[in-house]
């Protein structure tokens, strides 16, 4: 949880984990991220955590499926055997594509402005998913839901990092729950086989004031 005093606090994943060297990647979104983007070297932020579950690590070949800023959470998992399916709305929003080896990446955009047009799920059949020791995904719920349907039978061990409004981060406020599972404690990383396809995933979430709202995919 990253706290900007006087402004607010947001959950962010580490996008660099190299010994003591760590980083976060911030996208302009709400008031906290806008405040963070005004920071200058030497300004101070406050952190608490880490909280919740993490990805199951492997040194073997893994498949990394990222959408938009979701790539920030996946970046530390990239190794020299990784294959990436990296997507974004437009070519300008693609992140960390250069971290994959040549010929070990597929790029796709919603508008076709870079790489293939469409979502990673549209092209998953062109990749032999059995060759990967682990499959990781993070991105918009629209993307995860489509991937869920492609992976639930063949790779229930695939891991998704889920997103919900987080306030306390420690299992008290329930702002982050999906089907009674608190994403700050029982997630954010969940296995595909643990997701209830008939539940809230891809359908409903709580907004900032705690109202249950429909997710329009
Ligand atoms: S953020 Fe409060 S219970 Fe998860």
């Amino acid at each position: 949880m990253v706290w900007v005093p006087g402004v607010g606090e947001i959950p962010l994943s580490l996008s660099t984990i190299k010994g003591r060297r760590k980083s976060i990647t911030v996208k302009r979104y709400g008031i906290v991220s806008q405040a963070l983007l005004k920071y200058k070297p030497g300004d101070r932020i406050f952190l608490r955590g880490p909280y919740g579950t993490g990805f199951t690590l492997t040194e073997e070949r893994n498949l990394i499926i990222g959408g938009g800023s979701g790539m920030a959470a996946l970046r530390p998992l990239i190794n020299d055997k990784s294959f990436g399916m990296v997507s974004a709305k437009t070519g300008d929003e693609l992140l960390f594509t250069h971290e994959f080896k040549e010929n070990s990446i597929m790029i796709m955009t919603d508008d076709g402005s870079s790489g293939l047009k469409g979502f990673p799920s549209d092209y998953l059949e062109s990749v032999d998913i059995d060759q990967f020791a682990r499959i990781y995904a993070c991105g918009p719920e629209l993307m995860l839901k489509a991937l869920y349907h492609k992976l639930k039978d063949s790779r229930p061990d695939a891991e998704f990092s889920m997103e919900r409004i987080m306030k306390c981060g420690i299992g008290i406020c329930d702002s982050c729950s999906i089907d009674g599972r608190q994403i700050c404690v029982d997630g954010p990383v969940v296995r595909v086989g643990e997701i209830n396809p008939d539940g809230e995933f891809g359908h409903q979430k709580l907004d900032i004031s705690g109202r249950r709202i429909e997710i329009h995919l």
Side-chain angles (χ1 to χ4, degrees):
M1 296 296 289
V2 179
W3 174 38
V4 179
V7 182
E9 198 178 26
I10 51 173
L12 287 174
S13 299
L14 292 168
S15 53
T16 307
I17 307 173
K18 287 189 177 156
R20 292 179 60 80
R21 216 181 113 229
K22 312 258 188 325
S23 74
I24 53 175
T25 297
V26 180
K27 177 182 179 181
R28 187 183 305 279
Y29 188 70
I31 55 170
V32 179
S33 58
Q34 283 175 30
L36 279 169
L37 289 169
K38 289 186 189 140
Y39 267 51
K40 300 181 293 302
D43 288 347
R44 299 176 77 189
I45 57 172
F46 295 81
L47 306 172
R48 59 189 179 93
Y51 299 130
T53 57
F55 290 106
T56 309
L57 304 180
T58 182
E59 298 295 316
E60 299 304 312
R61 188 158 166 78
N62 59 31
L63 174 61
I64 291 182
I65 309 173
S69 54
M71 270 306 294
L74 300 172
R75 185 189 183 204
L77 302 165
I78 301 172
N79 64 34
D80 57 8
K81 300 180 200 132
S82 295
F83 187 84
M85 299 182 81
V86 181
S87 67
K89 279 189 183 147
T90 66
D92 295 348
E93 296 181 37
L94 288 163
L95 282 180
F96 306 126
T97 52
H98 58 285
E99 310 242 343
F100 293 91
K101 285 193 168 161
E102 211 180 332
N103 302 323
S104 291
I105 183 168
M106 286 174 77
I107 291 174
M108 50 225 78
T109 48
D110 297 5
D111 65 356
S113 56
S114 186
L116 302 161
K117 187 171 188 316
F119 300 128
S121 52
D122 298 332
Y123 299 96
L124 201 59
E125 273 92 5
S126 63
V127 177
D128 172 15
I129 58 172
D130 291 335
Q131 66 180 293
F132 300 108
R134 292 276 164 205
I135 299 175
Y136 310 114
C138 184
E141 201 143 319
L142 168 62
M143 181 195 98
L144 294 182
K145 184 85 180 183
L147 281 174
Y148 170 81
H149 289 296
K150 302 264 174 173
L151 293 169
K152 65 182 169 50
D153 297 323
S154 52
R155 292 301 298 260
D157 62 324
E159 295 178 339
F160 289 180
S161 182
M162 312 277 257
E163 207 178 85
R164 280 294 180 270
I165 300 268
M166 286 195 198
K167 293 180 181 174
C168 70
I170 52 172
I172 295 172
C173 71
D174 213 36
S175 68
C176 64
S177 75
I178 300 181
D179 298 325
R181 175 191 289 251
Q182 291 176 329
I183 290 301
C184 65
V185 175
D186 306 320
V189 176
V190 299
R191 290 189 172 212
V192 160
E194 298 169 334
I195 296 173
N196 173 6
D198 303 316
E200 294 174 18
F201 173 59
H203 294 297
Q204 289 184 333
K205 63 180 180 180
L206 301 180
D207 70 6
I208 194 73
S209 57
R211 275 178 311 189
R212 191 164 298 283
I213 55 172
E214 298 295 316
I215 300 173
H216 297 290
L217 299 180

